[in-house]
Amino acid sequence: MDMQRLRPLHAALILVLLAAPVAAQDYFYDAKYVGERIHLVQSNDEILVKFGDGITDQALAALSQEMQLDIRSKNLDRLRYARLGVPISSSFDGILLALRQRPDVKRAIPVLIDQYGGRRVFVPGQFTVQFVEGLGVQTAGKQFARG
């Protein structure tokens, strides 16, 4: 066989083999309201944490300082969550595991990034939340009701 003709096939096979581990970590959902598949990849610098009852601003500040995390957004009154930034110098997986082991944390999940750069939390089979600066709780509630 002619090696020149096989070269594109070899290149394609190598690309598939190299891309396979990355593709296994990708997520997607079908946005029915726009008829588009939204692709998501896990961020390595943000975690959404859902707290149990009784979480306070002081407790969140202490957790943030103790684990050297940046509080990027929060809603402790009604929804009891915080979006926390993980420093590049820290082990993302280590921080995620440590958060999940805390008794005051109900859930800790990585924030996902869509193909447009939007940061989201994606709960498989349920819903996605996009973080939009300045979006109020009432406006977000209306968007969920419409969806």
Side-chain angles (χ1 to χ4, degrees):
M1 269 194 141
D2 182 13
M3 291 306 286
Q4 289 293 78
R5 292 178 64 193
L6 288 177
R7 199 166 276 163
L9 179 60
H10 287 138
L13 182 58
I14 290 169
L15 180 61
V16 167
L17 291 174
L18 290 175
V22 174
Q25 296 176 8
D26 289 351
Y27 303 93
F28 70 88
Y29 75 97
D30 293 318
K32 295 177 181 148
Y33 62 94
V34 293
E36 180 180 9
R37 178 162 282 181
I38 305 296
H39 295 272
L40 304 155
V41 293
Q42 180 177 306
S43 76
N44 61 357
D45 66 347
E46 280 189 323
I47 298 173
L48 185 83
V49 179
K50 173 80 170 164
F51 293 97
D53 293 333
I55 186 69
T56 64
D57 284 314
Q58 294 81 6
L60 178 59
L63 177 145
S64 171
Q65 185 174 10
E66 171 191 332
M67 298 184 77
Q68 299 179 336
L69 302 173
D70 176 36
I71 301 170
R72 298 200 174 156
S73 63
K74 64 182 179 174
N75 182 327
L76 300 181
D77 297 332
R78 292 184 52 213
L79 302 175
R80 299 184 316 276
Y81 80 85
R83 184 169 52 120
L84 304 175
V86 178
I88 202 120
S89 60
S90 297
S91 163
F92 183 85
D93 292 335
I95 296 287
L96 187 61
L97 181 62
L99 285 167
R100 287 176 174 168
Q101 292 175 344
R102 292 179 61 95
D104 54 347
V105 171
K106 290 180 88 171
R107 191 171 297 113
I109 56 176
V111 170
L112 301 177
I113 304 170
D114 67 26
Q115 71 254 35
Y116 305 111
R119 292 182 172 260
R120 301 169 180 258
V121 171
F122 180 66
V123 180
Q126 294 184 31
F127 60 88
T128 180
V129 178
Q130 182 173 7
F131 296 107
V132 178
E133 295 300 322
L135 184 67
V137 173
Q138 289 180 338
T139 304
K142 288 177 187 174
Q143 288 181 357
F144 280 122
R146 281 194 307 232

